[in-house]
Amino acid sequence: MVSTTLPLSHRFAQRLPGFSVPCEPMQVASPTLLQFNAQLAEELGLGIDPNDEVQLSRIFTGQELLPGSCPVAQAYAGHQFGGFVPQLGDGRALLLGEAVDRDGQYRDIALKGSGPTPFSRGGDGKAAIGPVLREYVVSEAMYALGIPTTRALAAVGTGETVMRTRSLPGAMLTRVAASHLRVGSFEYAAARRRTDQVRELADFAIERHYADVVGEENRYLELLQAIADRQAKLIAQWMSVGFVHGVMNTDNMTISGETIDYGPCAFMEAYDPAAVFSSIDSMGRYAFSNQPQIARWNLARLAETLLSLIDPEEPQRAAEAATEIITEFESRHNTLYQTNMREKLGLDADSEYDSEDQRLLHDWLGLLQSNQVDYTLAFRSLADAADENTATTLSLFPSGEVEPWLEQWRNRLEKQPISDVASRLRASNPLYIPRNHLVEEALDAASEHGDLKPFKRLLQVLDSPFQEQPESESFATPAPRDFTACYKTFCGT
Ligand code: AMP
Ligand code: MG
């Protein structure tokens, strides 16, 4: 056993026995540490020696267990691309237990790619190095961007090969989450008509994530409202950085409001509301601009599971109250989105200019789209423009069409008292995002040549996305057009 500050607890497994089954991680041939997040380990109070790579690689493949570990595979259901699957569950993941972090918050520690479980449904329960490193780098990039997300604690090569379209090096990811409760967890119990379990789950979720709701008259309705609010905030943040999740099935939507499951995700480069990268999303269900609508649809599925708790006597009344929350989601999201986008344009949230600012944003996005301009660089260039240097912005719009817009934007800026718009813009518009071609290059080097240098360098740059870094220009540059035109991502299997 490893010595840590505190043993892991396993409240989820203990309190909600209907939602998991005990399961051991598979044995692996020769675990090798690929990456370890020492800062996060410290935050979690895991008293692990960050220099002992042998031990780290054994712990984070489950060969050696952290004290208090009680590995379980979680059960959940889910709507996948709109169709309901009553039982999905952790087919390649295990929850080891919960750590209490420096702030006193419970955090799930889970392995992904840890071998078959009773929920594997014919899958091998394993993960290849590429998807493991993708989740590592993209989730950590999201964290650095200030977006709620699960975190990556470790990536370890298993020394085995996994069979996909060809054989690939195997790996495991250790994921840290506020919890792994999902909309699909509620659907799992509701589909079995286990109102008692839905209630237990809701009470657990309230205790873990929404303590404010405890004293409320209708705590389950308030829970729904609170989850909807966090999701509205989350999706508005995705939209402001051009993140396309790619597979927003209800089993991939958390109750905590964290982004989870970085499978076929990607960052949009040239602005395109219809951007889709996932190889399996041929209908564009999870396209960039559909994400708020899909979140709302998923929340409606969650609401359905809660109706009998919201008003056990009068289902109609429960349905009306829940519908109101779901209906309001669009305007809540939109308000948050407008706030974020105003911030990205350096504009003060002043209601006097609401319609003017909406028009400015609309026109700006229209220009980005018609000129196929990189979303990230376009916003970032406005910091220079605010410093009276429009060359950066103009160079992104060779047509010159952007000039009248810049004029209107500057006129609007003059109407507000804030002086240091440029530095504010640099603080709200990242320079570095996980560029798809760089992510692919890094994954490819690791997977094909065992070379982790590009991955580690990318991780380092993305750790400070708002800060211009010397010798890192290439990390801010979009992919060549032909790369993006045929860029497809695959589910992290
Ligand atoms: P995801 O697309 O990652 O959200 O996964 C959807 C479902 O497929 C979950 O129940 C996963 O546990 C399961 N799954 C994905 N890959 C595998 C695999 N290699 N082996 C077993 N189950 C898997
Ligand atoms: Mg999933």
Side-chain angles (χ1 to χ4, degrees), residues 46-78:
L46 303 177
I48 304 174
D49 176 2
N51 299 311
D52 188 345
E53 294 204 2
V54 172
Q55 192 187 39
L56 291 174
S57 68
R58 290 182 51 74
I59 295 172
F60 296 113
T61 46
Q63 310 304 291
E64 199 170 320
L65 290 175
L66 292 165
S69 291
C70 167
V72 295
Q74 291 184 274
Y76 51 85

PDB file of all heavy atoms in Angstrom, residues 46-78:
ATOM      1  N   LEU A  46      -2.659  13.666  -2.129  1.00  0.00           N
ATOM      2  CA  LEU A  46      -2.136  12.302  -2.263  1.00  0.00           C
ATOM      3  C   LEU A  46      -0.647  12.382  -1.929  1.00  0.00           C
ATOM      4  O   LEU A  46       0.106  13.020  -2.634  1.00  0.00           O
ATOM      5  CB  LEU A  46      -2.305  11.784  -3.691  1.00  0.00           C
ATOM      6  CG  LEU A  46      -3.719  11.771  -4.263  1.00  0.00           C
ATOM      7  CD1 LEU A  46      -3.697  11.299  -5.700  1.00  0.00           C
ATOM      8  CD2 LEU A  46      -4.634  10.885  -3.432  1.00  0.00           C
ATOM      9  N   GLY A  47      -0.269  11.775  -0.841  1.00  0.00           N
ATOM     10  CA  GLY A  47       1.139  11.886  -0.434  1.00  0.00           C
ATOM     11  C   GLY A  47       2.033  10.967  -1.237  1.00  0.00           C
ATOM     12  O   GLY A  47       2.644  10.049  -0.701  1.00  0.00           O
ATOM     13  N   ILE A  48       2.083  11.210  -2.545  1.00  0.00           N
ATOM     14  CA  ILE A  48       2.856  10.314  -3.411  1.00  0.00           C
ATOM     15  C   ILE A  48       4.154  11.005  -3.806  1.00  0.00           C
ATOM     16  O   ILE A  48       4.163  12.205  -4.059  1.00  0.00           O
ATOM     17  CB  ILE A  48       2.055  10.014  -4.692  1.00  0.00           C
ATOM     18  CG1 ILE A  48       0.699   9.434  -4.329  1.00  0.00           C
ATOM     19  CG2 ILE A  48       2.798   9.063  -5.596  1.00  0.00           C
ATOM     20  CD1 ILE A  48      -0.189   9.245  -5.523  1.00  0.00           C
ATOM     21  N   ASP A  49       5.227  10.239  -3.894  1.00  0.00           N
ATOM     22  CA  ASP A  49       6.495  10.808  -4.336  1.00  0.00           C
ATOM     23  C   ASP A  49       6.453  10.982  -5.858  1.00  0.00           C
ATOM     24  O   ASP A  49       6.427  10.003  -6.609  1.00  0.00           O
ATOM     25  CB  ASP A  49       7.624   9.843  -3.937  1.00  0.00           C
ATOM     26  CG  ASP A  49       8.978  10.330  -4.450  1.00  0.00           C
ATOM     27  OD1 ASP A  49       9.026  11.416  -5.060  1.00  0.00           O
ATOM     28  OD2 ASP A  49       9.967   9.607  -4.225  1.00  0.00           O
ATOM     29  N   PRO A  50       6.448  12.254  -6.320  1.00  0.00           N
ATOM     30  CA  PRO A  50       6.299  12.476  -7.760  1.00  0.00           C
ATOM     31  C   PRO A  50       7.511  12.002  -8.566  1.00  0.00           C
ATOM     32  O   PRO A  50       7.459  11.964  -9.796  1.00  0.00           O
ATOM     33  CB  PRO A  50       6.125  13.997  -7.885  1.00  0.00           C
ATOM     34  CG  PRO A  50       6.654  14.561  -6.624  1.00  0.00           C
ATOM     35  CD  PRO A  50       6.547  13.510  -5.558  1.00  0.00           C
ATOM     36  N   ASN A  51       8.603  11.661  -7.881  1.00  0.00           N
ATOM     37  CA  ASN A  51       9.792  11.219  -8.620  1.00  0.00           C
ATOM     38  C   ASN A  51       9.904   9.703  -8.740  1.00  0.00           C
ATOM     39  O   ASN A  51      10.750   9.209  -9.468  1.00  0.00           O
ATOM     40  CB  ASN A  51      11.058  11.758  -7.939  1.00  0.00           C
ATOM     41  CG  ASN A  51      11.037  13.277  -7.931  1.00  0.00           C
ATOM     42  OD1 ASN A  51      10.787  13.889  -8.961  1.00  0.00           O
ATOM     43  ND2 ASN A  51      11.249  13.875  -6.761  1.00  0.00           N
ATOM     44  N   ASP A  52       9.063   8.999  -8.019  1.00  0.00           N
ATOM     45  CA  ASP A  52       9.140   7.550  -8.060  1.00  0.00           C
ATOM     46  C   ASP A  52       8.271   7.018  -9.210  1.00  0.00           C
ATOM     47  O   ASP A  52       7.126   6.615  -9.032  1.00  0.00           O
ATOM     48  CB  ASP A  52       8.675   6.968  -6.710  1.00  0.00           C
ATOM     49  CG  ASP A  52       8.910   5.480  -6.617  1.00  0.00           C
ATOM     50  OD1 ASP A  52       9.165   4.847  -7.664  1.00  0.00           O
ATOM     51  OD2 ASP A  52       8.832   4.942  -5.497  1.00  0.00           O
ATOM     52  N   GLU A  53       8.853   7.036 -10.396  1.00  0.00           N
ATOM     53  CA  GLU A  53       8.076   6.701 -11.593  1.00  0.00           C
ATOM     54  C   GLU A  53       7.562   5.267 -11.582  1.00  0.00           C
ATOM     55  O   GLU A  53       6.499   4.978 -12.113  1.00  0.00           O
ATOM     56  CB  GLU A  53       8.917   6.949 -12.850  1.00  0.00           C
ATOM     57  CG  GLU A  53       9.214   8.429 -13.040  1.00  0.00           C
ATOM     58  CD  GLU A  53       9.500   8.805 -14.485  1.00  0.00           C
ATOM     59  OE1 GLU A  53       9.427   7.934 -15.365  1.00  0.00           O
ATOM     60  OE2 GLU A  53       9.799   9.989 -14.711  1.00  0.00           O
ATOM     61  N   VAL A  54       8.347   4.383 -10.986  1.00  0.00           N
ATOM     62  CA  VAL A  54       7.918   2.979 -10.962  1.00  0.00           C
ATOM     63  C   VAL A  54       6.643   2.854 -10.139  1.00  0.00           C
ATOM     64  O   VAL A  54       5.642   2.264 -10.558  1.00  0.00           O
ATOM     65  CB  VAL A  54       9.045   2.079 -10.396  1.00  0.00           C
ATOM     66  CG1 VAL A  54       8.542   0.652 -10.196  1.00  0.00           C
ATOM     67  CG2 VAL A  54      10.246   2.105 -11.324  1.00  0.00           C
ATOM     68  N   GLN A  55       6.674   3.482  -8.968  1.00  0.00           N
ATOM     69  CA  GLN A  55       5.484   3.405  -8.129  1.00  0.00           C
ATOM     70  C   GLN A  55       4.288   4.120  -8.777  1.00  0.00           C
ATOM     71  O   GLN A  55       3.174   3.603  -8.770  1.00  0.00           O
ATOM     72  CB  GLN A  55       5.764   3.997  -6.749  1.00  0.00           C
ATOM     73  CG  GLN A  55       4.627   3.664  -5.784  1.00  0.00           C
ATOM     74  CD  GLN A  55       4.757   4.359  -4.454  1.00  0.00           C
ATOM     75  OE1 GLN A  55       5.152   5.514  -4.381  1.00  0.00           O
ATOM     76  NE2 GLN A  55       4.406   3.647  -3.394  1.00  0.00           N
ATOM     77  N   LEU A  56       4.554   5.285  -9.353  1.00  0.00           N
ATOM     78  CA  LEU A  56       3.460   6.029  -9.995  1.00  0.00           C
ATOM     79  C   LEU A  56       2.810   5.186 -11.090  1.00  0.00           C
ATOM     80  O   LEU A  56       1.586   5.142 -11.215  1.00  0.00           O
ATOM     81  CB  LEU A  56       3.978   7.339 -10.601  1.00  0.00           C
ATOM     82  CG  LEU A  56       4.428   8.420  -9.622  1.00  0.00           C
ATOM     83  CD1 LEU A  56       5.057   9.590 -10.372  1.00  0.00           C
ATOM     84  CD2 LEU A  56       3.262   8.908  -8.781  1.00  0.00           C
ATOM     85  N   SER A  57       3.646   4.537 -11.874  1.00  0.00           N
ATOM     86  CA  SER A  57       3.097   3.765 -12.992  1.00  0.00           C
ATOM     87  C   SER A  57       2.297   2.565 -12.485  1.00  0.00           C
ATOM     88  O   SER A  57       1.331   2.141 -13.118  1.00  0.00           O
ATOM     89  CB  SER A  57       4.211   3.322 -13.941  1.00  0.00           C
ATOM     90  OG  SER A  57       5.031   2.377 -13.284  1.00  0.00           O
ATOM     91  N   ARG A  58       2.673   2.032 -11.335  1.00  0.00           N
ATOM     92  CA  ARG A  58       1.921   0.911 -10.767  1.00  0.00           C
ATOM     93  C   ARG A  58       0.596   1.390 -10.152  1.00  0.00           C
ATOM     94  O   ARG A  58      -0.450   0.774 -10.338  1.00  0.00           O
ATOM     95  CB  ARG A  58       2.765   0.169  -9.724  1.00  0.00           C
ATOM     96  CG  ARG A  58       3.938  -0.613 -10.375  1.00  0.00           C
ATOM     97  CD  ARG A  58       4.744  -1.385  -9.350  1.00  0.00           C
ATOM     98  NE  ARG A  58       3.915  -2.208  -8.476  1.00  0.00           N
ATOM     99  CZ  ARG A  58       3.316  -3.343  -8.829  1.00  0.00           C
ATOM    100  NH1 ARG A  58       3.457  -3.804 -10.050  1.00  0.00           N
ATOM    101  NH2 ARG A  58       2.590  -4.015  -7.962  1.00  0.00           N
ATOM    102  N   ILE A  59       0.675   2.526  -9.457  1.00  0.00           N
ATOM    103  CA  ILE A  59      -0.554   3.055  -8.836  1.00  0.00           C
ATOM    104  C   ILE A  59      -1.567   3.426  -9.919  1.00  0.00           C
ATOM    105  O   ILE A  59      -2.752   3.078  -9.837  1.00  0.00           O
ATOM    106  CB  ILE A  59      -0.254   4.311  -7.991  1.00  0.00           C
ATOM    107  CG1 ILE A  59       0.643   3.958  -6.817  1.00  0.00           C
ATOM    108  CG2 ILE A  59      -1.540   4.954  -7.502  1.00  0.00           C
ATOM    109  CD1 ILE A  59       1.151   5.177  -6.053  1.00  0.00           C
ATOM    110  N   PHE A  60      -1.082   4.124 -10.950  1.00  0.00           N
ATOM    111  CA  PHE A  60      -2.027   4.665 -11.921  1.00  0.00           C
ATOM    112  C   PHE A  60      -2.324   3.716 -13.091  1.00  0.00           C
ATOM    113  O   PHE A  60      -2.760   4.129 -14.149  1.00  0.00           O
ATOM    114  CB  PHE A  60      -1.592   6.074 -12.348  1.00  0.00           C
ATOM    115  CG  PHE A  60      -1.648   7.011 -11.165  1.00  0.00           C
ATOM    116  CD1 PHE A  60      -0.485   7.556 -10.630  1.00  0.00           C
ATOM    117  CD2 PHE A  60      -2.857   7.286 -10.543  1.00  0.00           C
ATOM    118  CE1 PHE A  60      -0.539   8.379  -9.507  1.00  0.00           C
ATOM    119  CE2 PHE A  60      -2.917   8.103  -9.419  1.00  0.00           C
ATOM    120  CZ  PHE A  60      -1.758   8.653  -8.899  1.00  0.00           C
ATOM    121  N   THR A  61      -2.072   2.430 -12.821  1.00  0.00           N
ATOM    122  CA  THR A  61      -2.673   1.380 -13.650  1.00  0.00           C
ATOM    123  C   THR A  61      -3.435   0.427 -12.735  1.00  0.00           C
ATOM    124  O   THR A  61      -3.873  -0.641 -13.167  1.00  0.00           O
ATOM    125  CB  THR A  61      -1.600   0.571 -14.423  1.00  0.00           C
ATOM    126  OG1 THR A  61      -0.543   0.240 -13.522  1.00  0.00           O
ATOM    127  CG2 THR A  61      -1.057   1.354 -15.604  1.00  0.00           C
ATOM    128  N   GLY A  62      -3.539   0.807 -11.470  1.00  0.00           N
ATOM    129  CA  GLY A  62      -4.287  -0.028 -10.535  1.00  0.00           C
ATOM    130  C   GLY A  62      -3.558  -1.303 -10.121  1.00  0.00           C
ATOM    131  O   GLY A  62      -4.172  -2.198  -9.544  1.00  0.00           O
ATOM    132  N   GLN A  63      -2.253  -1.393 -10.397  1.00  0.00           N
ATOM    133  CA  GLN A  63      -1.501  -2.586  -9.979  1.00  0.00           C
ATOM    134  C   GLN A  63      -1.237  -2.539  -8.475  1.00  0.00           C
ATOM    135  O   GLN A  63      -1.025  -3.546  -7.819  1.00  0.00           O
ATOM    136  CB  GLN A  63      -0.168  -2.698 -10.737  1.00  0.00           C
ATOM    137  CG  GLN A  63      -0.295  -2.569 -12.240  1.00  0.00           C
ATOM    138  CD  GLN A  63      -1.276  -3.573 -12.831  1.00  0.00           C
ATOM    139  OE1 GLN A  63      -1.017  -4.763 -12.842  1.00  0.00           O
ATOM    140  NE2 GLN A  63      -2.423  -3.084 -13.299  1.00  0.00           N
ATOM    141  N   GLU A  64      -1.200  -1.328  -7.969  1.00  0.00           N
ATOM    142  CA  GLU A  64      -1.004  -1.099  -6.545  1.00  0.00           C
ATOM    143  C   GLU A  64      -2.104  -0.107  -6.189  1.00  0.00           C
ATOM    144  O   GLU A  64      -2.307   0.855  -6.935  1.00  0.00           O
ATOM    145  CB  GLU A  64       0.363  -0.443  -6.372  1.00  0.00           C
ATOM    146  CG  GLU A  64       0.949  -0.525  -5.006  1.00  0.00           C
ATOM    147  CD  GLU A  64       2.408  -0.044  -5.044  1.00  0.00           C
ATOM    148  OE1 GLU A  64       3.134  -0.366  -5.995  1.00  0.00           O
ATOM    149  OE2 GLU A  64       2.786   0.656  -4.116  1.00  0.00           O
ATOM    150  N   LEU A  65      -2.818  -0.343  -5.099  1.00  0.00           N
ATOM    151  CA  LEU A  65      -3.973   0.523  -4.852  1.00  0.00           C
ATOM    152  C   LEU A  65      -3.686   1.577  -3.791  1.00  0.00           C
ATOM    153  O   LEU A  65      -2.975   1.311  -2.805  1.00  0.00           O
ATOM    154  CB  LEU A  65      -5.186  -0.313  -4.437  1.00  0.00           C
ATOM    155  CG  LEU A  65      -5.796  -1.165  -5.550  1.00  0.00           C
ATOM    156  CD1 LEU A  65      -6.925  -2.041  -5.005  1.00  0.00           C
ATOM    157  CD2 LEU A  65      -6.312  -0.308  -6.703  1.00  0.00           C
ATOM    158  N   LEU A  66      -4.207   2.753  -4.018  1.00  0.00           N
ATOM    159  CA  LEU A  66      -4.134   3.812  -3.006  1.00  0.00           C
ATOM    160  C   LEU A  66      -4.934   3.326  -1.787  1.00  0.00           C
ATOM    161  O   LEU A  66      -5.949   2.643  -1.951  1.00  0.00           O
ATOM    162  CB  LEU A  66      -4.766   5.098  -3.553  1.00  0.00           C
ATOM    163  CG  LEU A  66      -4.021   5.779  -4.696  1.00  0.00           C
ATOM    164  CD1 LEU A  66      -4.911   6.807  -5.391  1.00  0.00           C
ATOM    165  CD2 LEU A  66      -2.759   6.463  -4.170  1.00  0.00           C
ATOM    166  N   PRO A  67      -4.519   3.679  -0.582  1.00  0.00           N
ATOM    167  CA  PRO A  67      -5.258   3.225   0.598  1.00  0.00           C
ATOM    168  C   PRO A  67      -6.728   3.647   0.520  1.00  0.00           C
ATOM    169  O   PRO A  67      -7.023   4.765   0.103  1.00  0.00           O
ATOM    170  CB  PRO A  67      -4.572   3.942   1.763  1.00  0.00           C
ATOM    171  CG  PRO A  67      -3.263   4.372   1.246  1.00  0.00           C
ATOM    172  CD  PRO A  67      -3.376   4.532  -0.225  1.00  0.00           C
ATOM    173  N   GLY A  68      -7.592   2.762   0.912  1.00  0.00           N
ATOM    174  CA  GLY A  68      -9.022   3.078   0.886  1.00  0.00           C
ATOM    175  C   GLY A  68      -9.673   2.820  -0.459  1.00  0.00           C
ATOM    176  O   GLY A  68     -10.877   2.976  -0.594  1.00  0.00           O
ATOM    177  N   SER A  69      -8.893   2.459  -1.473  1.00  0.00           N
ATOM    178  CA  SER A  69      -9.495   2.217  -2.796  1.00  0.00           C
ATOM    179  C   SER A  69     -10.499   1.077  -2.710  1.00  0.00           C
ATOM    180  O   SER A  69     -10.298   0.112  -1.982  1.00  0.00           O
ATOM    181  CB  SER A  69      -8.429   1.805  -3.812  1.00  0.00           C
ATOM    182  OG  SER A  69      -7.591   2.864  -4.105  1.00  0.00           O
ATOM    183  N   CYS A  70     -11.558   1.236  -3.481  1.00  0.00           N
ATOM    184  CA  CYS A  70     -12.586   0.202  -3.534  1.00  0.00           C
ATOM    185  C   CYS A  70     -13.104   0.281  -4.967  1.00  0.00           C
ATOM    186  O   CYS A  70     -14.098   0.941  -5.230  1.00  0.00           O
ATOM    187  CB  CYS A  70     -13.662   0.550  -2.505  1.00  0.00           C
ATOM    188  SG  CYS A  70     -15.163  -0.359  -2.642  1.00  0.00           S
ATOM    189  N   PRO A  71     -12.364  -0.312  -5.904  1.00  0.00           N
ATOM    190  CA  PRO A  71     -12.691  -0.085  -7.318  1.00  0.00           C
ATOM    191  C   PRO A  71     -14.076  -0.599  -7.702  1.00  0.00           C
ATOM    192  O   PRO A  71     -14.404  -1.747  -7.375  1.00  0.00           O
ATOM    193  CB  PRO A  71     -11.602  -0.857  -8.070  1.00  0.00           C
ATOM    194  CG  PRO A  71     -10.586  -1.261  -7.060  1.00  0.00           C
ATOM    195  CD  PRO A  71     -11.247  -1.245  -5.726  1.00  0.00           C
ATOM    196  N   VAL A  72     -14.842   0.249  -8.335  1.00  0.00           N
ATOM    197  CA  VAL A  72     -16.171  -0.157  -8.827  1.00  0.00           C
ATOM    198  C   VAL A  72     -16.365   0.357 -10.253  1.00  0.00           C
ATOM    199  O   VAL A  72     -15.815   1.393 -10.633  1.00  0.00           O
ATOM    200  CB  VAL A  72     -17.333   0.400  -7.956  1.00  0.00           C
ATOM    201  CG1 VAL A  72     -17.304  -0.188  -6.544  1.00  0.00           C
ATOM    202  CG2 VAL A  72     -17.344   1.928  -7.911  1.00  0.00           C
ATOM    203  N   ALA A  73     -17.149  -0.395 -11.006  1.00  0.00           N
ATOM    204  CA  ALA A  73     -17.602   0.082 -12.317  1.00  0.00           C
ATOM    205  C   ALA A  73     -18.973   0.707 -12.094  1.00  0.00           C
ATOM    206  O   ALA A  73     -19.840   0.091 -11.459  1.00  0.00           O
ATOM    207  CB  ALA A  73     -17.677  -1.070 -13.297  1.00  0.00           C
ATOM    208  N   GLN A  74     -19.146   1.922 -12.571  1.00  0.00           N
ATOM    209  CA  GLN A  74     -20.413   2.613 -12.344  1.00  0.00           C
ATOM    210  C   GLN A  74     -21.442   2.224 -13.405  1.00  0.00           C
ATOM    211  O   GLN A  74     -21.108   2.050 -14.574  1.00  0.00           O
ATOM    212  CB  GLN A  74     -20.185   4.129 -12.359  1.00  0.00           C
ATOM    213  CG  GLN A  74     -19.378   4.594 -11.160  1.00  0.00           C
ATOM    214  CD  GLN A  74     -19.234   6.109 -11.116  1.00  0.00           C
ATOM    215  OE1 GLN A  74     -18.327   6.656 -11.721  1.00  0.00           O
ATOM    216  NE2 GLN A  74     -20.111   6.769 -10.419  1.00  0.00           N
ATOM    217  N   ALA A  75     -22.683   2.140 -12.942  1.00  0.00           N
ATOM    218  CA  ALA A  75     -23.778   1.834 -13.864  1.00  0.00           C
ATOM    219  C   ALA A  75     -24.442   3.136 -14.294  1.00  0.00           C
ATOM    220  O   ALA A  75     -24.632   4.033 -13.482  1.00  0.00           O
ATOM    221  CB  ALA A  75     -24.799   0.944 -13.161  1.00  0.00           C
ATOM    222  N   TYR A  76     -24.736   3.239 -15.553  1.00  0.00           N
ATOM    223  CA  TYR A  76     -25.538   4.364 -16.031  1.00  0.00           C
ATOM    224  C   TYR A  76     -26.182   3.986 -17.352  1.00  0.00           C
ATOM    225  O   TYR A  76     -25.793   2.989 -17.976  1.00  0.00           O
ATOM    226  CB  TYR A  76     -24.716   5.657 -16.157  1.00  0.00           C
ATOM    227  CG  TYR A  76     -23.418   5.539 -16.929  1.00  0.00           C
ATOM    228  CD1 TYR A  76     -23.405   5.641 -18.323  1.00  0.00           C
ATOM    229  CD2 TYR A  76     -22.211   5.346 -16.274  1.00  0.00           C
ATOM    230  CE1 TYR A  76     -22.208   5.548 -19.034  1.00  0.00           C
ATOM    231  CE2 TYR A  76     -21.012   5.249 -16.976  1.00  0.00           C
ATOM    232  CZ  TYR A  76     -21.023   5.351 -18.358  1.00  0.00           C
ATOM    233  OH  TYR A  76     -19.846   5.250 -19.057  1.00  0.00           O
ATOM    234  N   ALA A  77     -27.181   4.762 -17.715  1.00  0.00           N
ATOM    235  CA  ALA A  77     -27.844   4.561 -19.001  1.00  0.00           C
ATOM    236  C   ALA A  77     -27.474   5.752 -19.879  1.00  0.00           C
ATOM    237  O   ALA A  77     -26.530   6.484 -19.545  1.00  0.00           O
ATOM    238  CB  ALA A  77     -29.348   4.486 -18.775  1.00  0.00           C
ATOM    239  N   GLY A  78     -28.181   5.956 -20.960  1.00  0.00           N
ATOM    240  CA  GLY A  78     -27.915   7.169 -21.729  1.00  0.00           C
ATOM    241  C   GLY A  78     -28.630   7.208 -23.053  1.00  0.00           C
ATOM    242  O   GLY A  78     -28.936   6.167 -23.629  1.00  0.00           O
TER     243      GLY A  78
END
